Amino acid sequence: MSDTLSQLAAVLEQRKQASADTSYVASLHAKGLNKILEKVGEECTETLLAAKDCQHSEDKSDLVYETADLWFHSLVMLSHLGLGPDDILKELARRFDLSGLEEKASRSK
Ligand SMILES: N=c1c2ncn([C@@H]3O[C@H](COP(=O)(O)OP(=O)(O)OP(=O)(O)O)[C@@H](O)[C@H]3O)c2ncn1[C@@H]1O[C@H](COP(=O)(O)O)[C@@H](O)[C@H]1O
């Protein structure tokens, strides 16, 4: 796992015990899963809009910014539910070298 991702995951775990007055992540945990899912949905929409807007542009910085927001809020969601980036990376590693088309075909067998 990248250093940034593992460091961020560690901070997110610590923030489960932090005060909502001093930590944005703690404030999300305090508000609960529905609020976290609302943020993930918002950031997802903002990412899609940024992708559409930058498709013919050299400047993709808005897409990078919005995707970072989406990844961040997804990590908070996973952490809230007792999961972390490792769980997702393990699943991607399991799929590595497995063609998406072959995997899809194997589902209907
Ligand atoms: N990577 C991030 C990060 N990315 C985005 N954000 C926050 O996510 C929020 C994004 O929400 P919006 O843009 O929708 O802004 P908003 O309108 O204020 O949000 P709402 O009031 O609607 O909820 C902003 O408050 C951003 O500052 C983040 N907040 C924290 N982190 C990381 O999490 C760590 C812990 O943060 P705290 O818990 O705040 O200490 C930090 O050190 C960072 O590493």
Side-chain angles (χ1 to χ4, degrees), residues 8 11 15 23-25 35 39 42-43 69 72-73:
L8 179 55
V11 170
R15 291 301 193 264
S23 156
Y24 173 68
V25 174
K35 178 64 186 179
K39 291 303 296 177
E42 257 177 56
E43 302 304 348
D69 272 356
F72 166 71
H73 285 89

Side-chain angles (χ1 to χ4, degrees), residues 34-55:
N34 283 356
K35 178 64 186 179
I36 296 170
L37 297 181
E38 186 185 304
K39 291 303 296 177
V40 173
E42 257 177 56
E43 302 304 348
C44 188
T45 303
E46 285 168 18
T47 300
L48 300 184
L49 293 174
K52 284 293 280 182
D53 283 349
C54 80
Q55 64 182 322

